[in-house]
């Protein structure tokens, strides 16, 4: 099994968007992995987000995007 990390980030949605129709096209994945690297220097450039793992969940009462990033 490859090494992996779980990334999640609270996101805000404009009132005009329907949460039930929200999808990964609205999320800038490169930005999320860059933020994760900035916040956690142990995350190196050899991690890649698996787009098939992207989910939207409520964590601690906040709407979040959650995904897995696997080591290349």
């Amino acid at each position: 099994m490859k090494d992996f990390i779980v990334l999640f980030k609270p996101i805000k949605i404009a009132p005009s968007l329907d949460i039930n129709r929200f999808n990964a096209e609205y999320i800038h994945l490169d930005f999320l992995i860059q933020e994760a690297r900035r916040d956690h220097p142990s995350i190196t450039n050899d991690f890649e987000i698996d787009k098939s793992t992207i989910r939207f969940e409520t964590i601690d009462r906040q709407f979040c995007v959650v995904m897995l990033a696997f080591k290349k």
Side-chain angles (χ1 to χ4, degrees):
M1 175 180 250
K2 295 182 179 180
D3 292 331
F4 69 94
I5 55 175
V6 177
L7 300 173
F8 72 95
K9 179 162 182 61
I11 55 177
K12 294 182 181 179
I13 300 176
S16 60
L17 289 176
D18 180 5
I19 288 178
N20 297 320
R21 297 182 65 204
F22 200 73
N23 63 44
E25 293 174 15
Y26 293 100
I27 304 301
H28 298 281
L29 300 178
D30 293 337
F31 176 73
L32 287 177
I33 196 81
Q34 286 173 2
E35 279 196 340
R37 285 185 187 122
R38 184 192 66 212
D39 295 342
H40 304 282
S42 62
I43 299 173
T44 60
N45 289 336
D46 57 349
F47 279 90
E48 184 176 312
I49 293 172
D50 179 356
K51 293 181 181 182
S52 69
T53 65
I54 298 171
R55 302 287 183 266
F56 298 96
E57 303 287 336
T58 301
I59 299 174
D60 198 24
R61 299 184 196 171
Q62 293 184 339
F63 190 64
C64 297
V65 60
V66 181
M67 67 198 73
L68 295 178
F70 290 92
K71 200 167 208 173
K72 295 180 189 176

